[in-house]
Amino acid sequence: MIDIKGITKSFGSLQVLKGIDLHIGKGEVVSIVGPSGAGKTTLLQIIGTLDKPDSGQIIIDGTDVSRLNRKKLSEFRNQRIGFVFQFHQLLPEFTALENIMIPALIGGKSRSEAKKKAEALLDFMGLADRAKHKPNELSGGEKQRVAVARALVNDPAVILADEPSGSLDSKNKEELHQLFFSLRDKLGQTFVIVTHDENLAKITDRTIAMRDGMLETDVNAAADAATAASSSTATTDNDTDGADRADENADGKAE
């Protein structure tokens, strides 16, 4: 679904990304973790086509985004990528319903079509009764759920989230995290999440650790490899034990 090959990025003399290779499958919920300055947000911005790499290739949902001109890239970003930020970034002068509609209207949908989709998403989020409320009339958790609905309105291939629960209390954090998995289970939605939240990282399908502009570990993949190796060793041991017993039986019969 997302294939990242040899991505590098520098700002002046500082190399921020040093040859990133990564594959993310459809329907995966992947977290990216690491210390400040590791390159997490830069990588997310490049995946989201908000910035360009110095070298390398990114293919999203079958499209090589490096081959798109500015107009086509903008259209692709609007239609195929959803964004959720740490702070909701809702426009204060518009209602929850109107905020969700905006990307659909930008993408060329009619007002009635955009409204119908936004209302359905508000209902899915349990916020149907908050449709006409402006951001300053919503709680922190409600604002972030509206932001997620806005990210979903164009049925994107992937949602990119940068510290999405960083400004929420523990109750709203947990609700938002469960919402991500509900969207994956019900809609097949793919998520790539930059986070410092250890609890969120632990429950994602994969945790990618970054340090100094490089992928340090793929935590779940490493665990799977260790499990496979352990299973293989156990199988070999069992086979060896079985062979030893067979030899002992043969020796007994010979005697």
PDB file of all heavy atoms in Angstrom, residues 130-146:
ATOM      1  N   ARG A 130     -23.804  17.286  17.822  1.00  0.00           N
ATOM      2  CA  ARG A 130     -22.854  18.396  17.929  1.00  0.00           C
ATOM      3  C   ARG A 130     -22.559  19.028  16.567  1.00  0.00           C
ATOM      4  O   ARG A 130     -21.676  19.878  16.444  1.00  0.00           O
ATOM      5  CB  ARG A 130     -21.523  17.916  18.550  1.00  0.00           C
ATOM      6  CG  ARG A 130     -21.688  17.089  19.819  1.00  0.00           C
ATOM      7  CD  ARG A 130     -22.251  17.891  20.953  1.00  0.00           C
ATOM      8  NE  ARG A 130     -21.242  18.663  21.635  1.00  0.00           N
ATOM      9  CZ  ARG A 130     -21.490  19.594  22.545  1.00  0.00           C
ATOM     10  NH1 ARG A 130     -22.758  19.900  22.838  1.00  0.00           N
ATOM     11  NH2 ARG A 130     -20.522  20.251  23.135  1.00  0.00           N
ATOM     12  N   ALA A 131     -23.305  18.637  15.555  1.00  0.00           N
ATOM     13  CA  ALA A 131     -23.039  19.060  14.171  1.00  0.00           C
ATOM     14  C   ALA A 131     -22.990  20.570  14.009  1.00  0.00           C
ATOM     15  O   ALA A 131     -22.162  21.093  13.252  1.00  0.00           O
ATOM     16  CB  ALA A 131     -24.084  18.461  13.236  1.00  0.00           C
ATOM     17  N   LYS A 132     -23.851  21.295  14.694  1.00  0.00           N
ATOM     18  CA  LYS A 132     -23.943  22.741  14.505  1.00  0.00           C
ATOM     19  C   LYS A 132     -23.126  23.530  15.516  1.00  0.00           C
ATOM     20  O   LYS A 132     -23.192  24.761  15.550  1.00  0.00           O
ATOM     21  CB  LYS A 132     -25.409  23.170  14.570  1.00  0.00           C
ATOM     22  CG  LYS A 132     -26.244  22.596  13.423  1.00  0.00           C
ATOM     23  CD  LYS A 132     -27.676  23.076  13.478  1.00  0.00           C
ATOM     24  CE  LYS A 132     -28.507  22.515  12.324  1.00  0.00           C
ATOM     25  NZ  LYS A 132     -29.911  22.984  12.355  1.00  0.00           N
ATOM     26  N   HIS A 133     -22.348  22.824  16.321  1.00  0.00           N
ATOM     27  CA  HIS A 133     -21.503  23.498  17.310  1.00  0.00           C
ATOM     28  C   HIS A 133     -20.163  23.894  16.701  1.00  0.00           C
ATOM     29  O   HIS A 133     -19.584  23.158  15.902  1.00  0.00           O
ATOM     30  CB  HIS A 133     -21.255  22.579  18.519  1.00  0.00           C
ATOM     31  CG  HIS A 133     -22.459  22.379  19.376  1.00  0.00           C
ATOM     32  ND1 HIS A 133     -23.576  21.682  18.961  1.00  0.00           N
ATOM     33  CD2 HIS A 133     -22.727  22.788  20.641  1.00  0.00           C
ATOM     34  CE1 HIS A 133     -24.477  21.657  19.922  1.00  0.00           C
ATOM     35  NE2 HIS A 133     -23.992  22.329  20.953  1.00  0.00           N
ATOM     36  N   LYS A 134     -19.672  25.057  17.089  1.00  0.00           N
ATOM     37  CA  LYS A 134     -18.353  25.504  16.651  1.00  0.00           C
ATOM     38  C   LYS A 134     -17.283  24.937  17.595  1.00  0.00           C
ATOM     39  O   LYS A 134     -17.604  24.484  18.701  1.00  0.00           O
ATOM     40  CB  LYS A 134     -18.311  27.027  16.602  1.00  0.00           C
ATOM     41  CG  LYS A 134     -19.209  27.591  15.499  1.00  0.00           C
ATOM     42  CD  LYS A 134     -19.088  29.093  15.368  1.00  0.00           C
ATOM     43  CE  LYS A 134     -19.939  29.602  14.199  1.00  0.00           C
ATOM     44  NZ  LYS A 134     -19.843  31.073  14.037  1.00  0.00           N
ATOM     45  N   PRO A 135     -16.028  24.943  17.164  1.00  0.00           N
ATOM     46  CA  PRO A 135     -14.973  24.316  17.967  1.00  0.00           C
ATOM     47  C   PRO A 135     -14.910  24.771  19.421  1.00  0.00           C
ATOM     48  O   PRO A 135     -14.645  23.951  20.308  1.00  0.00           O
ATOM     49  CB  PRO A 135     -13.695  24.698  17.206  1.00  0.00           C
ATOM     50  CG  PRO A 135     -14.149  24.764  15.784  1.00  0.00           C
ATOM     51  CD  PRO A 135     -15.522  25.369  15.848  1.00  0.00           C
ATOM     52  N   ASN A 136     -15.150  26.060  19.672  1.00  0.00           N
ATOM     53  CA  ASN A 136     -15.069  26.531  21.047  1.00  0.00           C
ATOM     54  C   ASN A 136     -16.217  26.028  21.923  1.00  0.00           C
ATOM     55  O   ASN A 136     -16.237  26.268  23.134  1.00  0.00           O
ATOM     56  CB  ASN A 136     -14.984  28.064  21.112  1.00  0.00           C
ATOM     57  CG  ASN A 136     -16.229  28.752  20.577  1.00  0.00           C
ATOM     58  OD1 ASN A 136     -17.163  28.105  20.101  1.00  0.00           O
ATOM     59  ND2 ASN A 136     -16.244  30.080  20.650  1.00  0.00           N
ATOM     60  N   GLU A 137     -17.167  25.329  21.309  1.00  0.00           N
ATOM     61  CA  GLU A 137     -18.292  24.750  22.049  1.00  0.00           C
ATOM     62  C   GLU A 137     -18.144  23.229  22.213  1.00  0.00           C
ATOM     63  O   GLU A 137     -19.047  22.580  22.725  1.00  0.00           O
ATOM     64  CB  GLU A 137     -19.606  25.049  21.313  1.00  0.00           C
ATOM     65  CG  GLU A 137     -19.894  26.542  21.159  1.00  0.00           C
ATOM     66  CD  GLU A 137     -21.081  26.831  20.253  1.00  0.00           C
ATOM     67  OE1 GLU A 137     -21.118  26.301  19.119  1.00  0.00           O
ATOM     68  OE2 GLU A 137     -21.971  27.601  20.692  1.00  0.00           O
ATOM     69  N   LEU A 138     -16.990  22.710  21.790  1.00  0.00           N
ATOM     70  CA  LEU A 138     -16.733  21.269  21.861  1.00  0.00           C
ATOM     71  C   LEU A 138     -15.642  20.973  22.881  1.00  0.00           C
ATOM     72  O   LEU A 138     -14.750  21.802  23.118  1.00  0.00           O
ATOM     73  CB  LEU A 138     -16.300  20.740  20.496  1.00  0.00           C
ATOM     74  CG  LEU A 138     -17.263  20.949  19.324  1.00  0.00           C
ATOM     75  CD1 LEU A 138     -16.590  20.524  18.019  1.00  0.00           C
ATOM     76  CD2 LEU A 138     -18.554  20.167  19.541  1.00  0.00           C
ATOM     77  N   SER A 139     -15.697  19.777  23.472  1.00  0.00           N
ATOM     78  CA  SER A 139     -14.625  19.354  24.380  1.00  0.00           C
ATOM     79  C   SER A 139     -13.391  18.967  23.563  1.00  0.00           C
ATOM     80  O   SER A 139     -13.449  18.821  22.326  1.00  0.00           O
ATOM     81  CB  SER A 139     -15.086  18.151  25.204  1.00  0.00           C
ATOM     82  OG  SER A 139     -15.200  16.997  24.373  1.00  0.00           O
ATOM     83  N   GLY A 140     -12.265  18.775  24.236  1.00  0.00           N
ATOM     84  CA  GLY A 140     -11.036  18.386  23.538  1.00  0.00           C
ATOM     85  C   GLY A 140     -11.192  17.078  22.768  1.00  0.00           C
ATOM     86  O   GLY A 140     -10.756  16.966  21.618  1.00  0.00           O
ATOM     87  N   GLY A 141     -11.819  16.096  23.410  1.00  0.00           N
ATOM     88  CA  GLY A 141     -12.032  14.816  22.745  1.00  0.00           C
ATOM     89  C   GLY A 141     -12.963  14.936  21.554  1.00  0.00           C
ATOM     90  O   GLY A 141     -12.751  14.289  20.516  1.00  0.00           O
ATOM     91  N   GLU A 142     -13.996  15.769  21.675  1.00  0.00           N
ATOM     92  CA  GLU A 142     -14.936  15.980  20.567  1.00  0.00           C
ATOM     93  C   GLU A 142     -14.252  16.669  19.386  1.00  0.00           C
ATOM     94  O   GLU A 142     -14.473  16.304  18.226  1.00  0.00           O
ATOM     95  CB  GLU A 142     -16.125  16.806  21.051  1.00  0.00           C
ATOM     96  CG  GLU A 142     -17.066  16.033  21.970  1.00  0.00           C
ATOM     97  CD  GLU A 142     -18.138  16.923  22.599  1.00  0.00           C
ATOM     98  OE1 GLU A 142     -17.930  18.156  22.655  1.00  0.00           O
ATOM     99  OE2 GLU A 142     -19.171  16.381  23.033  1.00  0.00           O
ATOM    100  N   LYS A 143     -13.424  17.659  19.686  1.00  0.00           N
ATOM    101  CA  LYS A 143     -12.694  18.348  18.609  1.00  0.00           C
ATOM    102  C   LYS A 143     -11.816  17.365  17.833  1.00  0.00           C
ATOM    103  O   LYS A 143     -11.769  17.401  16.602  1.00  0.00           O
ATOM    104  CB  LYS A 143     -11.810  19.457  19.195  1.00  0.00           C
ATOM    105  CG  LYS A 143     -12.562  20.640  19.765  1.00  0.00           C
ATOM    106  CD  LYS A 143     -11.593  21.590  20.454  1.00  0.00           C
ATOM    107  CE  LYS A 143     -12.340  22.687  21.190  1.00  0.00           C
ATOM    108  NZ  LYS A 143     -11.420  23.543  21.982  1.00  0.00           N
ATOM    109  N   GLN A 144     -11.137  16.478  18.557  1.00  0.00           N
ATOM    110  CA  GLN A 144     -10.229  15.563  17.868  1.00  0.00           C
ATOM    111  C   GLN A 144     -11.004  14.524  17.052  1.00  0.00           C
ATOM    112  O   GLN A 144     -10.560  14.114  15.975  1.00  0.00           O
ATOM    113  CB  GLN A 144      -9.291  14.886  18.880  1.00  0.00           C
ATOM    114  CG  GLN A 144      -7.988  14.363  18.294  1.00  0.00           C
ATOM    115  CD  GLN A 144      -7.099  15.442  17.707  1.00  0.00           C
ATOM    116  OE1 GLN A 144      -7.566  16.393  17.085  1.00  0.00           O
ATOM    117  NE2 GLN A 144      -5.796  15.310  17.896  1.00  0.00           N
ATOM    118  N   ARG A 145     -12.176  14.123  17.522  1.00  0.00           N
ATOM    119  CA  ARG A 145     -12.999  13.189  16.732  1.00  0.00           C
ATOM    120  C   ARG A 145     -13.536  13.879  15.473  1.00  0.00           C
ATOM    121  O   ARG A 145     -13.639  13.265  14.414  1.00  0.00           O
ATOM    122  CB  ARG A 145     -14.137  12.633  17.580  1.00  0.00           C
ATOM    123  CG  ARG A 145     -13.710  11.450  18.463  1.00  0.00           C
ATOM    124  CD  ARG A 145     -14.862  10.865  19.211  1.00  0.00           C
ATOM    125  NE  ARG A 145     -15.246  11.683  20.353  1.00  0.00           N
ATOM    126  CZ  ARG A 145     -16.398  11.590  21.003  1.00  0.00           C
ATOM    127  NH1 ARG A 145     -17.334  10.753  20.588  1.00  0.00           N
ATOM    128  NH2 ARG A 145     -16.640  12.358  22.048  1.00  0.00           N
ATOM    129  N   VAL A 146     -13.866  15.160  15.583  1.00  0.00           N
ATOM    130  CA  VAL A 146     -14.273  15.919  14.394  1.00  0.00           C
ATOM    131  C   VAL A 146     -13.096  15.987  13.414  1.00  0.00           C
ATOM    132  O   VAL A 146     -13.275  15.843  12.194  1.00  0.00           O
ATOM    133  CB  VAL A 146     -14.743  17.338  14.776  1.00  0.00           C
ATOM    134  CG1 VAL A 146     -14.940  18.203  13.527  1.00  0.00           C
ATOM    135  CG2 VAL A 146     -16.053  17.269  15.561  1.00  0.00           C
TER     136      VAL A 146
END
